[in-house]
Amino acid sequence: GRTLLLHMLDLVYTSHALPEARISVFSDNIPALRLYSSLGFREFSRETRTGPGDRPVVLLHLKHRRPGQVSPATADSGPATG
């Protein structure tokens, strides 16, 4: 899984020149959450859905920024002056 995901991230950033990659995963998929977190994916949204047996399940939306990419919040804030 890790090797495939690293290859996919390489394609996203080098072949397609995108600024970020996004992926969604259900919150009970602990192995996937650990993998994504270890590679730098961070949650940006979540939604509740209905799973088997009409139980609520949470779908997490994660994103990974291109290495060296400055986030918009950081870019807008600039250096502190005093």
Side-chain angles (χ1 to χ4, degrees), residues 12-33:
V12 165
Y13 298 132
T14 58
S15 298
H16 300 286
L18 297 171
E20 68 183 24
R22 294 183 178 199
I23 197 164
S24 298
V25 60
F26 286 104
S27 61
D28 60 351
N29 189 344
I30 303 304
L33 286 169

Side-chain angles (χ1 to χ4, degrees), residues 52-68:
D54 291 329
R55 71 177 179 87
V57 293
V58 178
L59 182 62
L60 303 174
H61 302 289
L62 312 174
K63 66 181 169 183
H64 181 278
R65 291 205 172 271
R66 174 194 301 257

Side-chain angles (χ1 to χ4, degrees), residues 41-54:
F41 280 87
R42 299 294 175 250
E43 181 182 339
F44 71 91
S45 180
R46 61 176 57 201
E47 60 186 273
T48 302
R49 295 195 174 181
T50 303
D54 291 329

Side-chain angles (χ1 to χ4, degrees), residues 20 63 65 69-78:
E20 68 183 24
K63 66 181 169 183
R65 291 205 172 271
Q69 176 89 9
V70 177
S71 69
T74 305
D76 291 342
S77 63

